[in-house]
Amino acid sequence: VQNKLFIDIDAERTDKGEIIITDINGRKVYRSHVDIQTGINTLPVAVVHLANGTYFIKMQLTGYSCTNKFSKQ
């Protein structure tokens, strides 16, 4: 990832969610609240402000959470 990454979500219902990015030491470096619509949602996340390194991105919805690792270059 260089400047922007995208999260794709296929939602069964509308919901409110939160995107959290933490660095390798567990410090929160980004947080955003998002509105999810029924169906396919593609959420852009700007990471241009992050230093190069390894991060974890977590997407939280009602009753659902998913975390993935990515590298910023």
Side-chain angles (χ1 to χ4, degrees):
V1 175
Q2 290 184 341
N3 295 322
K4 191 181 283 191
L5 60 85
F6 296 90
I7 300 173
D8 292 326
I9 299 171
D10 187 2
E12 294 179 2
R13 65 188 189 304
T14 59
D15 201 351
K16 294 196 180 289
E18 184 175 41
I19 299 170
I20 299 169
I21 298 177
T22 55
D23 66 15
I24 197 75
N25 296 313
R27 290 183 295 244
K28 289 181 185 175
V29 295
Y30 177 88
R31 185 179 202 168
S32 177
H33 295 277
V34 293
D35 292 318
I36 304 297
Q37 303 302 316
T38 302
I40 303 292
N41 294 260
T42 299
L43 308 172
V45 180
V47 294
V48 67
H49 65 284
L50 299 179
N52 291 352
T54 301
Y55 296 89
F56 295 92
I57 186 164
K58 182 176 188 177
M59 180 71 207
Q60 292 181 317
L61 300 172
T62 304
Y64 175 79
S65 178
C66 179
T67 303
N68 287 297
K69 184 168 129 176
F70 72 93
S71 294
K72 166 73 166 50
Q73 300 177 352

